[in-house]
Amino acid sequence: MQDTDELQFIDEDESPKKVETGPLSEDQKWKMIIVDDEDAVHKITELVLKDFTFNGKKLEFINAYSAEEAKALMDKNSDIALMFLDVVMESDDAGLLFVKYVRETLKDNLIRIILRTGQPGAAPEIEVAQKYDINDYKQKTELTTQKMYTVVISSLRSYQNIKQLDDIRNNLEKIVELRSAELRKINDDLKVEVEERKRAEHDAEAANQSKSIFLANMSHEIRTPMNAIIGYAEILKRDKQLNSEQFSAINTIERSSNHLLTLINDILDISKIEAGRMELKTNDFNLADFAREISQMFLPRCEEKALTWQIEGIEEGCRLPVNGDEAKLKQVLINLIGNALKFTETGGVILRITTEEDDYYFFEITDTGEGISPESLKTIFEPFKQDEQKYHKGGTGLGLAICDKHVELMGGKLGVQSTLDKGSRFFFRLKFAPALGDIKSRVTEKRKVLGLEEGYKVKAVVVDDVDLDRELMTKSLEDIGVEVVAATNGADAIDKTREQIPNIVFVDYRMEQMDGIETISRIKNEFGDKVKAIIVSASVFDHHLKQFNDSGCDGVISKPFHVEDVYKCMAKTLNIKYKYAKIDEPQSTAASKFEMPEITIPGDLLARMNKAAEFNEITELENLLIELETLGPEAVALADHIRALAKQYDMDGILDVFKKLG
């Protein structure tokens, strides 16, 4: 059958046929397949788009006059970016069935599918959009020349962003695998050397120093691509056209990346400690508010595990203004309380803070968990030491070692008392001087930056020799209305600063020929405080920070960065204001209200699910949940509950579920 309405284009003002949004590339064309049984539709479409370019690449047209012919062409071309698809061809629903073939049989979720029809009655828009995974729906009579350009541009931009994110993720996995193999080899070599020279203290110290240098370099190489993953995930989340499934997928990418970043930071912290480069960074803070924030963080997790949570020594409304290293104290308490929750199945956890004389404060974390064996207590604060029976709980084996060193650096000593099957108690005493000034109340609501407040204008130069990082920073700033000029190296940045006289420059640290420090020094020598300078770096050791400050920079942003960190730094540096949109606080999770069903799961299936959760194999776990759902309605509810925990990256919660089922 054929559509009764032919494709029409209404005359309009001349529309731009060339769209540039990024670096030019001449290596290939955008592949576009036109699937329509009307020859005139093919000719008109090609005529309108023959001179169209996007990102420096033209369109390569692939023509199919039926769904069956399109299947053969799709099998031969795996990199088609865009499809214009008719509905009524060899059958009334040929186009719709072809959509299912592309998405479900070919598993192609990258191609952008634009459904266009001359018979909307045969395929109502709302019904089609709900049932079929298409990206747009157009009636042939409404496809003007201008709308044709708009559809193609938005579709190619969406395809490019999604494919770029997919490529970055694949590259990161290869990098992590390669670096992990290198690290294993280095650790193996180090063990052999230590075994051979166990009495040679000097050589062992040298080996540790070498390891620290290696870890710092490895951290830089991993944090750089992670900057792109986290950054582009945040940019994609700002797209209001995302459906719930896409938003959830991007959320998962972001949470998973942040989880990996936490592990990397643990390794980096221990390498800083071993290299003797960990320093105190003190600030004024309200210890009472600080403790309440810690409490709010862990209360939901305790409720989820049906544990009691108590915080003692902090009265409602009291204030304890002190001066100390808030970040390190927070890291210590989160680690200790997190461990207490991890190893406690019944009873509860208590955080007790006691105010003593002469500005001393005593901290205790007590749990009713499984306790620690006397043998394990001997080495509990050593790096990479974990009780063999507790490896399934996850982690790097560095948390307690970092806590011990942080408490020592703050002038205290971390102690522990534990009895098997009764629980553990960790404690330390610290001295905090009174706060040096007034402490402002913390802003607890989360706010999303929409743009610059009316009356504010900002021009920025962004310099980075890595295309992805440069484009990411540029996009983050342009999203809120900042005028951005991009530069590819230090010399280019200096030239463009002279031409544009921006308010602020964002400069990458590691660049060839002229690094970030030299670039900023030259800009500051020429323009002084007229141009603010922010250095962006994946090198986060304290001696690097000193170099940055000495160069005259006005701020430092660490990679991987969150866009909100960039906006906060810019607001502080330029004294500007933003327009905000309030973000609703997340509702109470269903996990805390979930009632475990009475269900019998085959032992083999339960063991495989438990293993997938232990090793963070999310894809394998999802496949096993599909298998679980075949056991009946209660199994479906259980699978949904586990998926909710997986989306929060709560592997501990999932393992608790499997333990109760076993």
Side-chain angles (χ1 to χ4, degrees), residues 464-485:
D464 198 312
D465 57 358
V466 178
D467 292 346
L468 277 176
D469 287 353
R470 184 176 62 252
E471 292 166 12
L472 173 60
M473 180 64 79
T474 298
K475 175 68 172 156
S476 300
L477 295 172
E478 288 178 341
D479 275 355
I480 61 168
V482 175
E483 180 183 345
V484 181
V485 178

mmCIF file of all heavy atoms in Angstrom, residues 464-485:
data_model
loop_
_atom_site.group_PDB
_atom_site.id
_atom_site.type_symbol
_atom_site.label_atom_id
_atom_site.label_comp_id
_atom_site.label_asym_id
_atom_site.label_seq_id
_atom_site.Cartn_x
_atom_site.Cartn_y
_atom_site.Cartn_z
ATOM 1 N N ASP A 464 42.695 23.718 26.579
ATOM 2 C CA ASP A 464 43.028 22.329 26.897
ATOM 3 C C ASP A 464 43.429 21.657 25.591
ATOM 4 O O ASP A 464 42.753 21.824 24.568
ATOM 5 C CB ASP A 464 41.821 21.620 27.517
ATOM 6 C CG ASP A 464 42.210 20.349 28.258
ATOM 7 O OD1 ASP A 464 42.970 19.551 27.678
ATOM 8 O OD2 ASP A 464 41.748 20.162 29.397
ATOM 9 N N ASP A 465 44.534 20.897 25.593
ATOM 10 C CA ASP A 465 44.962 20.247 24.356
ATOM 11 C C ASP A 465 44.259 18.904 24.137
ATOM 12 O O ASP A 465 44.507 18.234 23.130
ATOM 13 C CB ASP A 465 46.480 20.068 24.315
ATOM 14 C CG ASP A 465 47.014 19.270 25.490
ATOM 15 O OD1 ASP A 465 46.207 18.886 26.357
ATOM 16 O OD2 ASP A 465 48.236 19.032 25.544
ATOM 17 N N VAL A 466 43.392 18.501 25.063
ATOM 18 C CA VAL A 466 42.563 17.302 24.880
ATOM 19 C C VAL A 466 41.177 17.750 24.432
ATOM 20 O O VAL A 466 40.475 18.460 25.152
ATOM 21 C CB VAL A 466 42.462 16.480 26.185
ATOM 22 C CG1 VAL A 466 41.560 15.281 25.986
ATOM 23 C CG2 VAL A 466 43.851 16.039 26.639
ATOM 24 N N ASP A 467 40.788 17.341 23.212
ATOM 25 C CA ASP A 467 39.535 17.828 22.620
ATOM 26 C C ASP A 467 38.324 17.589 23.515
ATOM 27 O O ASP A 467 37.507 18.491 23.724
ATOM 28 C CB ASP A 467 39.295 17.142 21.268
ATOM 29 C CG ASP A 467 40.309 17.576 20.215
ATOM 30 O OD1 ASP A 467 41.002 18.586 20.453
ATOM 31 O OD2 ASP A 467 40.417 16.906 19.177
ATOM 32 N N LEU A 468 38.200 16.363 24.057
ATOM 33 C CA LEU A 468 37.026 16.028 24.872
ATOM 34 C C LEU A 468 36.909 16.932 26.088
ATOM 35 O O LEU A 468 35.828 17.433 26.413
ATOM 36 C CB LEU A 468 37.096 14.564 25.312
ATOM 37 C CG LEU A 468 36.592 13.519 24.308
ATOM 38 C CD1 LEU A 468 36.813 12.127 24.863
ATOM 39 C CD2 LEU A 468 35.123 13.729 24.006
ATOM 40 N N ASP A 469 38.041 17.130 26.796
ATOM 41 C CA ASP A 469 38.010 17.953 28.007
ATOM 42 C C ASP A 469 37.706 19.410 27.670
ATOM 43 O O ASP A 469 36.987 20.096 28.407
ATOM 44 C CB ASP A 469 39.340 17.845 28.754
ATOM 45 C CG ASP A 469 39.507 16.502 29.434
ATOM 46 O OD1 ASP A 469 38.545 15.730 29.419
ATOM 47 O OD2 ASP A 469 40.594 16.233 29.961
ATOM 48 N N ARG A 470 38.270 19.882 26.559
ATOM 49 C CA ARG A 470 38.008 21.274 26.157
ATOM 50 C C ARG A 470 36.539 21.465 25.808
ATOM 51 O O ARG A 470 35.903 22.451 26.210
ATOM 52 C CB ARG A 470 38.901 21.634 24.969
ATOM 53 C CG ARG A 470 38.779 23.104 24.524
ATOM 54 C CD ARG A 470 39.745 23.457 23.418
ATOM 55 N NE ARG A 470 39.526 22.702 22.204
ATOM 56 C CZ ARG A 470 40.307 21.733 21.758
ATOM 57 N NH1 ARG A 470 41.388 21.383 22.426
ATOM 58 N NH2 ARG A 470 40.027 21.099 20.636
ATOM 59 N N GLU A 471 35.985 20.502 25.043
ATOM 60 C CA GLU A 471 34.584 20.599 24.652
ATOM 61 C C GLU A 471 33.663 20.487 25.868
ATOM 62 O O GLU A 471 32.625 21.152 25.943
ATOM 63 C CB GLU A 471 34.255 19.499 23.644
ATOM 64 C CG GLU A 471 34.944 19.696 22.301
ATOM 65 C CD GLU A 471 34.895 18.440 21.436
ATOM 66 O OE1 GLU A 471 34.130 17.520 21.799
ATOM 67 O OE2 GLU A 471 35.619 18.379 20.431
ATOM 68 N N LEU A 472 34.044 19.644 26.832
ATOM 69 C CA LEU A 472 33.230 19.473 28.034
ATOM 70 C C LEU A 472 33.148 20.766 28.835
ATOM 71 O O LEU A 472 32.058 21.201 29.226
ATOM 72 C CB LEU A 472 33.810 18.360 28.901
ATOM 73 C CG LEU A 472 33.178 18.155 30.280
ATOM 74 C CD1 LEU A 472 31.707 17.818 30.133
ATOM 75 C CD2 LEU A 472 33.901 17.045 31.032
ATOM 76 N N MET A 473 34.288 21.410 29.084
ATOM 77 C CA MET A 473 34.286 22.670 29.832
ATOM 78 C C MET A 473 33.530 23.747 29.060
ATOM 79 O O MET A 473 32.737 24.512 29.635
ATOM 80 C CB MET A 473 35.718 23.123 30.111
ATOM 81 C CG MET A 473 35.826 24.430 30.874
ATOM 82 S SD MET A 473 35.148 24.362 32.554
ATOM 83 C CE MET A 473 36.517 23.548 33.402
ATOM 84 N N THR A 474 33.746 23.793 27.748
ATOM 85 C CA THR A 474 33.058 24.781 26.916
ATOM 86 C C THR A 474 31.548 24.603 26.999
ATOM 87 O O THR A 474 30.792 25.552 27.210
ATOM 88 C CB THR A 474 33.522 24.657 25.452
ATOM 89 O OG1 THR A 474 34.928 24.923 25.383
ATOM 90 C CG2 THR A 474 32.789 25.643 24.568
ATOM 91 N N LYS A 475 31.101 23.366 26.841
ATOM 92 C CA LYS A 475 29.667 23.073 26.881
ATOM 93 C C LYS A 475 29.073 23.409 28.255
ATOM 94 O O LYS A 475 27.972 23.972 28.348
ATOM 95 C CB LYS A 475 29.456 21.591 26.560
ATOM 96 C CG LYS A 475 28.025 21.103 26.681
ATOM 97 C CD LYS A 475 27.135 21.684 25.631
ATOM 98 C CE LYS A 475 25.759 21.014 25.684
ATOM 99 N NZ LYS A 475 24.707 21.856 25.126
ATOM 100 N N SER A 476 29.802 23.088 29.328
ATOM 101 C CA SER A 476 29.312 23.359 30.685
ATOM 102 C C SER A 476 29.093 24.850 30.905
ATOM 103 O O SER A 476 28.129 25.259 31.562
ATOM 104 C CB SER A 476 30.311 22.820 31.717
ATOM 105 O OG SER A 476 30.481 21.433 31.586
ATOM 106 N N LEU A 477 29.989 25.675 30.358
ATOM 107 C CA LEU A 477 29.881 27.126 30.535
ATOM 108 C C LEU A 477 28.816 27.722 29.610
ATOM 109 O O LEU A 477 28.038 28.584 30.017
ATOM 110 C CB LEU A 477 31.240 27.780 30.275
ATOM 111 C CG LEU A 477 32.357 27.419 31.267
ATOM 112 C CD1 LEU A 477 33.698 27.973 30.790
ATOM 113 C CD2 LEU A 477 32.047 27.940 32.660
ATOM 114 N N GLU A 478 28.784 27.257 28.355
ATOM 115 C CA GLU A 478 27.801 27.798 27.415
ATOM 116 C C GLU A 478 26.374 27.477 27.850
ATOM 117 O O GLU A 478 25.450 28.245 27.566
ATOM 118 C CB GLU A 478 28.067 27.237 26.017
ATOM 119 C CG GLU A 478 29.301 27.816 25.360
ATOM 120 C CD GLU A 478 29.578 27.216 23.980
ATOM 121 O OE1 GLU A 478 29.044 26.121 23.696
ATOM 122 O OE2 GLU A 478 30.314 27.843 23.211
ATOM 123 N N ASP A 479 26.196 26.358 28.551
ATOM 124 C CA ASP A 479 24.861 25.962 29.011
ATOM 125 C C ASP A 479 24.227 27.005 29.928
ATOM 126 O O ASP A 479 22.999 27.064 30.043
ATOM 127 C CB ASP A 479 24.922 24.615 29.742
ATOM 128 C CG ASP A 479 24.847 23.441 28.779
ATOM 129 O OD1 ASP A 479 24.654 23.679 27.574
ATOM 130 O OD2 ASP A 479 24.990 22.293 29.227
ATOM 131 N N ILE A 480 25.044 27.798 30.618
ATOM 132 C CA ILE A 480 24.484 28.793 31.544
ATOM 133 C C ILE A 480 24.664 30.219 31.010
ATOM 134 O O ILE A 480 24.524 31.189 31.764
ATOM 135 C CB ILE A 480 25.092 28.664 32.959
ATOM 136 C CG1 ILE A 480 26.604 28.890 32.954
ATOM 137 C CG2 ILE A 480 24.770 27.313 33.549
ATOM 138 C CD1 ILE A 480 27.197 29.060 34.332
ATOM 139 N N GLY A 481 25.004 30.342 29.717
ATOM 140 C CA GLY A 481 25.044 31.662 29.099
ATOM 141 C C GLY A 481 26.386 32.351 29.078
ATOM 142 O O GLY A 481 26.462 33.546 28.754
ATOM 143 N N VAL A 482 27.467 31.640 29.375
ATOM 144 C CA VAL A 482 28.803 32.239 29.316
ATOM 145 C C VAL A 482 29.287 32.243 27.871
ATOM 146 O O VAL A 482 29.141 31.250 27.151
ATOM 147 C CB VAL A 482 29.794 31.456 30.205
ATOM 148 C CG1 VAL A 482 31.207 32.006 30.053
ATOM 149 C CG2 VAL A 482 29.357 31.513 31.660
ATOM 150 N N GLU A 483 29.854 33.353 27.430
ATOM 151 C CA GLU A 483 30.460 33.422 26.097
ATOM 152 C C GLU A 483 31.847 32.786 26.174
ATOM 153 O O GLU A 483 32.680 33.219 26.972
ATOM 154 C CB GLU A 483 30.568 34.876 25.636
ATOM 155 C CG GLU A 483 31.180 35.036 24.254
ATOM 156 C CD GLU A 483 31.350 36.495 23.851
ATOM 157 O OE1 GLU A 483 30.744 37.374 24.507
ATOM 158 O OE2 GLU A 483 32.117 36.761 22.904
ATOM 159 N N VAL A 484 32.097 31.772 25.371
ATOM 160 C CA VAL A 484 33.324 30.984 25.486
ATOM 161 C C VAL A 484 34.135 31.052 24.202
ATOM 162 O O VAL A 484 33.600 30.931 23.096
ATOM 163 C CB VAL A 484 33.009 29.506 25.807
ATOM 164 C CG1 VAL A 484 34.299 28.706 25.939
ATOM 165 C CG2 VAL A 484 32.198 29.401 27.092
ATOM 166 N N VAL A 485 35.449 31.248 24.374
ATOM 167 C CA VAL A 485 36.410 31.151 23.274
ATOM 168 C C VAL A 485 37.348 30.000 23.611
ATOM 169 O O VAL A 485 37.933 29.973 24.693
ATOM 170 C CB VAL A 485 37.207 32.463 23.101
ATOM 171 C CG1 VAL A 485 38.223 32.315 21.983
ATOM 172 C CG2 VAL A 485 36.262 33.623 22.827
#
